[in-house]
Amino acid sequence: QVQVVESGGGLVQAGGSLRLSCAASGRIFSIRPMGWYRQAPGKKRELVARISSGGVRNYVDSVKGRFTISRDNAKNTVYLQMNSLKPEDTAVYYCTLEVVTGTIWGQGTQVTVSP
């Protein structure tokens, strides 16, 4: 069974950095698009960043220039480097893996940015 597991969340002061990691495991036969979503309390879940199987990156406007998504295909792992963090980045961050039959979601990792 295919699954993804996130790590790297935590508490950081505004202006600081964190790197999230997401490892995919199971029967994955090809490079698939992966991404990061986040959901803050009382808000809808939003797509933060996505990287296609060919390496094309997309970001939500609010994180452009601060966050970078990357992947290591040999390890089936995707990363989200988050710099210049702001309190409004506080949320649960979820990793996704797009497969033929749908999207696999991780359990989420909490990111908290203090003022």
Side-chain angles (χ1 to χ4, degrees):
Q1 183 171 347
V2 177
Q3 63 177 359
V4 294
V5 178
E6 306 98 335
S7 61
L11 173 64
V12 64
Q13 288 188 327
S17 298
L18 281 175
R19 189 176 84 152
L20 305 182
S21 300
C22 172
S25 61
R27 297 172 62 85
I28 304 170
F29 298 107
S30 62
I31 299 171
R32 307 297 304 178
M34 298 184 74
W36 291 93
Y37 284 72
R38 67 185 178 186
Q39 187 166 21
K43 294 189 177 181
K44 295 192 303 182
R45 190 172 295 187
E46 67 171 351
L47 175 63
V48 177
R50 178 182 182 272
I51 185 166
S52 71
S53 55
V56 177
R57 298 167 172 84
N58 296 101
Y59 301 93
V60 67
D61 286 347
S62 60
V63 308
K64 286 180 180 177
R66 300 188 298 122
F67 291 11
T68 301
I69 189 170
S70 61
R71 65 188 302 159
D72 183 334
N73 292 330
K75 297 180 179 179
N76 283 326
T77 298
V78 66
Y79 306 96
L80 186 67
Q81 178 66 43
M82 304 185 294
N83 299 328
S84 302
L85 282 160
K86 304 175 181 180
E88 50 264 44
D89 295 317
T90 295
V92 178
Y93 284 70
Y94 297 90
C95 174
T96 60
L97 169 67
E98 298 172 27
V99 296
V100 173
T101 53
T103 300
I104 308 297
W105 290 81
Q107 81 286 354
T109 185
Q110 177 70 45
V111 171
T112 302
V113 184
S114 63

